[in-house]
Structure formats: structure tokens, C-alpha cells
Amino acid sequence: MRDGMIESDVLVVGGGLVGLSLGIGLAQGGLDVVVVDREAPASQTLPAFDGRVSAIAHASRQALQALGIWRHLEAAEPILDIRVTDGTSPLFVHYDHREVGAEPFGHMVENRHLRLALQGAVNETPGLRLLAPAAVTVLERRPAAVHARLADGRTVRAALVVGAEGRNSPTREAAGIRTTTWSYGQAGIVCTVGHERPHQGVAQERFLPAGPFAILPMTGSRSSLVWTEREDLAAALLALPEAEFLAELGRRFGDYLGKLEVEGPRWSYPLSFLHAERYIDHRLALAGDAAHGIHPISGQGLNLGLRDVATLVEILVGQARLGLDLGDPLALAAYERWRRVDTFVLGAITDGLNRLFSNDIAPVRLVRDLGLGIVEQLPPLKRVFMRHARGDMGDLPGLLRGEPV
Amino acid sequence: MSAAAAPSVDPAEVERFARMAEAWWDPLGQFRPLHVLNPVRLGYIREQAIARFGLDPKARRVLDGLSLLDIGCGGGLVAEPLARLGAEVTGIDAAERNIAIARAHAAESGVAVQYRAASAEALAAEGRQFDIVLALEIVEHVADLGAFMDAACALVKPGGLIVLATLNRTPKAFALAIVGAEWVLRWLPRGTHDWRKFVRPSELARELRRSGMALSEVRGVTYSPLADRWSLSGDTAVNYMLAATKPAG
Ligand SMILES: Cc1cc2nc3c(=O)[nH]c(=O)nc-3n(C[C@H](O)[C@H](O)[C@H](O)COP(=O)(O)OP(=O)(O)OC[C@H]3O[C@@H](n4cnc5c(N)ncnc54)[C@H](O)[C@@H]3O)c2cc1C
């Protein structure tokens, strides 16, 4: 196929967690899809590539099941309880999944496992072509179609291009879509901790003075940590010898699960907020972190991306079934309208939570204690928070209700 | 404009639409209301065709192998999508200019549609027949409803399907389609519609029966301003769509 023209309906640039899920969903709806990623698939599933474990909300799991991705997953640990505590304060909020239904809040899934599952699903999806490693060198959005030239000389033609390259999306930048961004001056230290006693499916979110400290249940007697620290401190912590790192960790983790040990490498991710001023342009849509990067405080970044996926699949497959243009500005406007409000609200909530909790000023602490206590006292409000944690708020596209494409 | 000689074509109406035709294909322009209406119309046609011909709803080219005539095709807003679904589409319009626009657009988007400046009567006189005949937003503009319906029904193959979309002659239709859409919202230029020419479902049903067609369904089409979307409903007081079939052989 050198020098050949690849004809397709949709070109997805960026084959990460969001881009590949989108490619699979669109292809299942009968569209011809090309996904381009700069990294080779085999390198993306090496143990050192991504150490994160994602909280997959209930609605996102339904989507992954409907897309045939979930059954390729090696392991997933249910989250049965969420406990939110404020530092050393005795007040805490306790979310028990039985208050909103029989299903767990979500599942903890290792990103590496999710990438493997995605690749498994890609291999059994006709109509989807993954070109990786590959790079788009020229992207022209013409009146009637998109033309992309790849570094290896091939050309891809599509009715629509989706930018899913994560936060630094070149597709977004080339389209001149501006972003609102700020850095939290914080980094998220991520590592896996083995413990003596079982976690019993409890996720802990602790608001420590430096920022949130999350203990998330993994399979076996293991938990994944997302430990927020000031950027300079995080770098220093990451460089500590094993025993001292474990001691620092233990001071924050506590001893409720017995003896701890750090398993595997430690990672550090800079934390920032990013929101694109538009999610669409002429024959272009943004999805996942390319459109919105939020603080991982509530573990919702990927969930938002999967909601973009479900919405785009519903709208674009609907267009194709009616023979309508996939780049139709009215269809793209519907996507943006459907997604923007949800994303912005969640972005604002998590940003606000982080600001409120990342300090140790006495009056703020008091408000926080009262605030958390009040949430605990008001069942309806709590149910709203819990539903959001499960990801099933509002008007849902079919995939998020578990309906196949 | 030779086609204007046919009895059902009102020359004043044809002129009015030709003036508006240039902006036809801009979904955000003057014709936005038509583009917003399009998905519900296409969905209804698709659904009726699937039911009538026992088609596979999962197939991308669901209408593969079926011949389809779009009477009053305008700029091709309905003809092109249906051709993408696999139908062999012929689009006719009494206005030469609309046909020129429709042809130019099909060439740009690479969709195969046969366009012709002709009237339904002219095609019927040639003895042409199609699996599916569409007359969308047209009966409320013709000068002689009986003559038009005779021609439209003659164009349907035995066993075939006809789909119509139009406006009901009710006070509510006057309030919404004329006062609302033309005067207040300015969705359509003033004078686009003449309420007296609106057609009741019962009148269309009578015309269809006269031509030996069997009415299969009448559905209302209603607009939801909050969602900016049209959907099928039980309320036929303003916009409605209707499907009928010709008995086989
Ligand atoms: C510490 C931390 C913890 C988190 N925990 C959670 C959690 O528990 N739950 C949750 O829902 N979310 C979580 N998130 C957020 C989540 O990880 C992201 O939202 C998610 O990875 C976004 O996926 P994406 O596919 O949009 O982008 P990415 O994962 O960034 O993928 C982008 C892809 O595009 C490719 N690419 C980049 N540039 C190009 C290019 N120029 N050409 C071609 N390809 C390119 C890359 O190779 C990559 O494959 C967390 C984030 C952090 C930092």
C-alpha cells in the first residue's frame, strides 16, 4: 500500500485508551476507521510504559463490555466502598455502593491490562486499521474531506478527523483551538503497594495538606497509590532509597492494612488542568485528554474520555445509518453540546476540591470538616455525588447503558 | 424553464425556490431548518423501506439495489444521503437552477445521483417506475393536487413504496408554520407557504386510494426547541409524514 490512498470514514490521530476505544466503537457501527499512533503497540504494553491504575466507573464498564473490550481484561478489582477523609479529622464521608444499587461503584483496572485488552479487541474488529508506529505530517481539512499525509508517504482520506493525542494534541493546536490551562504545581506519585491485610474493596481518598492521597484497591492484597505532592518534593521523594521512600509512604498510608511494601517502579506525573475552548472545528472533533485534562483527584479523566467515545459513536454511527456526512457541522455541534457541560462541571468540581483541600489553614479545615460532615448527613446530595462517581448522571448515550453499537 | 408547462407546476412557486437555492448546502446558513429536519425524514424513509422490502438494518448500504425517485429534490439534501445508503437515486426538480446546484454538489462529494429538470408528469408519461418514490414538502406547493398524485403513484412499481411529507391545514399549522416559522423566527422567507394549499392527511389518503395505493402509516413530525431536534410523534396537526404501498402485480 505504499504511496497508496487509504479511503476511510474517520481518521483518529492518537491510539491511546480513548483513541482505540473510539476506533473500535465506530468500526463496530460499520464505519471504516484508521487509527494512527506514534508508538508501536508492543512498546505501549511494556510494564515500564504506564504504571497507572484507572478507576473505571460503572457506566464506563458498561461501555467497555458493549464494545467487547472488557472480556479481554486479565483482571479487574471491584470498588465496594469509597471513604473520604480529611487529614486527621474524625469526620469522614462513607460511600457504600449498596445505597445506589447492587453494582459496585467501579473497578480498578491496570492501564497496562486495558491497553492489552484494547489491542485484543482491535485484532478482532474488521473495518479498523491501526497504523503504528506512524505519524501524520500534513493534515488538510478540505471542504468535502480530510486528507492526511503520513511520514511514510501514504495518504489517508476521511470525512472527519478526531484528535485523541492526549494533552499536547497537535491536531488541536494546528486548528488554532485555544485552551484554558494551569499547572497545579503538583505531581502525582504513582506506585503499587502490597499489604498484609486485605483491602476489602475499599477505596480511600485522604485529603492531606499537600493534596489528595488515594489508596485504590487492586487484585490480591495490593493497592495503587496516587499520592499528590508539590512538584519539587515529589522529585525528591522519587529519588529516595527504598527504605526511606517506604517510611514516608507509611506515615501517610497508616497501618490499618498491616505491613507495607512497594512493588515495582515508582512513577511521577505532572498535574495540570486543561480545557479546550472548542471541541470541534471544520471536519474535526477532539476527544479525551486532547479536549479536557482534569485533576486525577476523583479518578475521572479516562471516564470522561470514554463518555466522549460513547457520544461520538452514537452520533457518528447515527449519521452513517442515514447516509449523512460524518463531518456535518450540525452533528459535531450536537457532540459538543452533549459533552461540554458534563466535562466542565466535573472539571470545576475536581479543581475546587483540590484547591479546598490542598492547604492547612484552620478556617478552611473547619469548613471542610463541616462540608464533609454535611454531605454525610444529607442522603440525597450524597446520592448525587455517588452517582457521579459511578458515572451515570444525565442523558446517556446507548453505550454507557451497556447497549451494543 | 420548459418543464413549467406541466399542469401541476406553479411557476411563481418554482421561481421563489430557485432564488433560495444557492445557500442550500450550508447547514449553518439560510437553509439550516431543512438540515435540522433532514435526519427525521431520512430515518422515516429508511424505516419504511426496511419494513416494506425486508432489508437488513445493520447493513451500511441498506438500500442497495433499490431504485428511488425524489420528486422536488431541490439541492439534493435527501437524494445524496439515500444514494450513500446504496439506492440508485434519480432526483427531479422543476427548477433548472436547483438541478444545476444538486449536480455540482454531487460531483464535489463524489456521490452518484441522476439529476434531471423534469416534472413528475413528464417522467410518468415516459412510463418510468421506481421501487421508492418520495414527495417531500411538495404537495403543499403544487397547483393541481389530483394530477400530481396521479403521476406520483403511477411512478411507483407494483409492490413499491411512496413516502410523502407535508403540512396539515389546521389552525395550529397556520400559527406554527406561517406565523412562527416565516414571520417570527424567519426560518423560511415570507411567502414560502400558502396555508390554503396545506393538505389534510384524509385528503392525501383519498388521493392515494383513488390510485389504488394502500396507506400504511401516518406519523406526526414535531420540533423540540430545547434539543433543536425533530422527531416522529403522534401529533399530525402541523408537519406529518405518510407512507403507502402499491399492491404487487
Ligand atoms: C496520576 C494519574 C492518575 C489517573 N487516574 C485515573 C483514574 O483512576 N481514572 C480515570 O478515569 N482517569 C485517570 N487519569 C486520567 C487518564 O489517565 C487520562 O484521562 C487518559 O489516559 C486519557 O486518555 P487519552 O487516550 O485521551 O490520552 P493519552 O492516554 O495521553 O493517549 C494519547 C495517545 O496518543 C498518542 N500520540 C501522542 N501524540 C501523537 C502524535 N503526534 N501522533 C500520533 N499519536 C500521538 C500517544 O502515543 C498515546 O497513545 C489519571 C491521570 C493521572 C496523571
Side-chain angles (χ1 to χ4, degrees), chain B residues 103-139:
Chain B
R103 275 199 191 121
H105 193 271
E108 189 187 69
S109 52
V111 179
V113 180
Q114 288 289 324
Y115 285 115
R116 236 177 103 179
S119 67
E121 288 88 340
L123 242 69
E126 290 170 21
R128 297 283 304 272
Q129 286 198 317
F130 302 83
D131 294 307
I132 304 170
V133 171
L134 307 178
L136 310 180
E137 267 76 49
I138 177 118
V139 297

Side-chain angles (χ1 to χ4, degrees), chain A residues 14 16-18 37-39 52 54-55 165 170 289 299 301-303:
Chain A
L17 302 175
V18 169
D37 199 285
R38 62 177 178 196
E39 305 268 354
R52 284 174 292 172
S54 297
E165 313 108 315
D289 278 17
L302 174 59
N303 288 307

Side-chain angles (χ1 to χ4, degrees), chain B residues 63-101:
Chain B
L63 302 180
D64 230 355
L66 294 172
S67 59
L68 183 148
L69 173 69
D70 183 11
I71 304 173
C73 63
L77 241 51
V78 169
E80 263 191 41
L82 294 174
R84 268 204 210 94
L85 293 183
E88 233 172 80
V89 180
T90 303
I92 60 169
D93 201 290
E96 297 270 5
R97 198 149 148 241
N98 290 352
I99 291 298
I101 287 162

